[in-house]
Amino acid sequence: MQQKLIAFIGAGNMTRAIISGLLHSGYPAQNLIASNPSNAKLAALAELGVRTFNDNRLAAEQAEVVVLAVKPQLMATACADFADLDFSGKLLISIAAGISVQRLSALLPSAQAIVRVMPNTPSLLSAGMAGLFANAKCGTEEKSFAADLMSAVGKICWLAQESDINSVIAASGSSPAYFFLFLEAMQQEAINMGLDATTARQLIQQAMLGAAQMVIENPQLELATLREQVTSKGGTTAAALQIFEQRQIKPIIAQAMQAAVRRAQEMESQF
């Protein structure tokens, strides 16, 4: 990975995750800057050895790569701090949902190479999944750098069209919460059945981890095949799955994912 000076505008969990991943992979701390109004958040990053600023403009001005890691509703305000800077020679990376390349170009008119990234919270454990979209002005070098940046905290995939970012939000950006909800419901019912909370959680979290590992280690098998392999005809698993089918779990999941996409589209018009 090329060693460029990177400025993170915003010092939240995702910034910390990416910076930690970069440092773990050997990226020099002196080439990393974080800027945020909150000194508390900056203090946590300063402990990692990176430079910190309260001044977004100062951070962006120095950097070769600027990572916009602020909430969508704060993007316009954050960009206003340095909108008059010359971004023509900088790579701009945004990890905010609902902020299109067109909107970023309006907020930072001189920006040329722009990459939108949709990561997810498992990036905090270097187990993330991110979808990336690069505008037409991004060359091979810029795309390679963005890919290396996000690969420091997990897996990546490139998207052919920007609208696919919203599908990534539904499929991986928001989906950890879907799984947590499912686990939450399972834990509660296990408790209702008489198990203590610790045992219930251990059972379901290990089952989920093992199931995920089976998916990863058997890419040649369809997900339906994996399901069928653990479903004996007339057995306990079949009885449980029958309830899911009766309650139409697949349409419910589809509706939930479409709701995530619609909200992402709404955000594009709001922010």
Side-chain angles (χ1 to χ4, degrees):
M1 182 178 184
Q2 297 180 32
Q3 295 183 359
K4 297 185 177 184
L5 185 57
I6 309 172
F8 291 84
I9 308 301
N13 288 336
M14 197 57 65
T15 290
R16 183 178 179 85
I18 297 172
I19 287 177
S20 297
L22 288 171
L23 293 174
H24 184 72
S25 66
Y27 205 84
Q30 64 267 26
N31 280 14
L32 300 172
I33 299 173
S35 177
N36 196 78
S38 169
N39 285 320
K41 289 185 177 181
L42 290 178
L45 292 175
E47 292 176 358
L48 299 177
V50 306
R51 288 185 287 159
T52 60
F53 295 94
N54 293 120
D55 189 333
N56 288 340
R57 180 185 178 85
L58 182 60
E61 190 172 22
Q62 298 180 50
E64 298 171 271
V65 179
V66 176
V67 180
L68 299 175
V70 299
K71 294 179 180 179
Q73 59 268 34
L74 300 177
M75 184 65 76
T77 300
C79 288
D81 292 341
F82 41 78
D84 61 326
L85 292 182
D86 182 7
F87 271 76
S88 61
K90 303 178 188 291
L91 170 59
L92 184 65
I93 298 175
S94 170
I95 62 173
I99 307 294
S100 67
V101 167
Q102 182 179 11
R103 177 59 172 155
L104 291 168
S105 295
L107 293 172
L108 300 171
S110 63
Q112 299 296 309
I114 301 175
V115 176
R116 282 189 66 190
V117 178
M118 181 44 55
N120 63 5
T121 53
S123 298
L124 296 167
L125 303 176
S126 295
M129 182 68 224
L132 287 75
F133 171 79
N135 71 343
K137 295 181 180 179
C138 274
T140 302
E141 180 181 324
E142 289 86 1
K143 291 182 67 175
S144 177
F145 189 89
D148 289 341
L149 181 77
M150 296 311 302
S151 292
V153 292
K155 304 291 186 181
I156 70 161
C157 65
W158 281 103
L159 307 173
Q161 53 192 16
E162 187 175 8
S163 60
D164 289 339
I165 282 282
N166 293 338
S167 299
V168 170
I169 292 172
S172 67
S174 297
S175 63
Y178 314 161
F179 302 137
F180 298 152
L181 177 61
F182 198 84
L183 291 176
E184 181 185 354
M186 288 181 64
Q187 181 189 32
Q188 186 57 57
E189 187 54 30
I191 292 171
N192 294 343
M193 292 175 175
L195 295 175
D196 64 86
T198 300
T199 300
R201 175 162 175 158
Q202 183 180 22
L203 287 168
I204 62 173
Q205 71 186 26
Q206 187 62 29
M208 184 180 189
L209 177 63
Q213 198 63 38
M214 290 179 70
V215 170
I216 291 169
E217 294 188 5
N218 292 280
Q220 77 284 3
L221 297 179
E222 295 292 337
L223 296 177
T225 301
L226 287 169
R227 172 179 52 77
E228 291 164 359
Q229 288 180 346
V230 296
T231 309
S232 300
K233 187 175 181 180
T236 58
T237 305
L241 293 180
Q242 185 177 17
I243 298 299
F244 287 137
E245 291 295 333
Q246 289 174 355
R247 298 301 174 91
Q248 298 186 313
I249 192 172
K250 289 182 179 178
I252 290 172
I253 292 171
Q255 291 167 24
M257 293 177 68
Q258 287 297 331
V261 170
R262 286 195 301 272
R263 179 55 185 151
Q265 293 169 339
E266 290 171 358
M267 290 169 67
E268 290 177 0
S269 63
Q270 290 178 335
F271 308 124

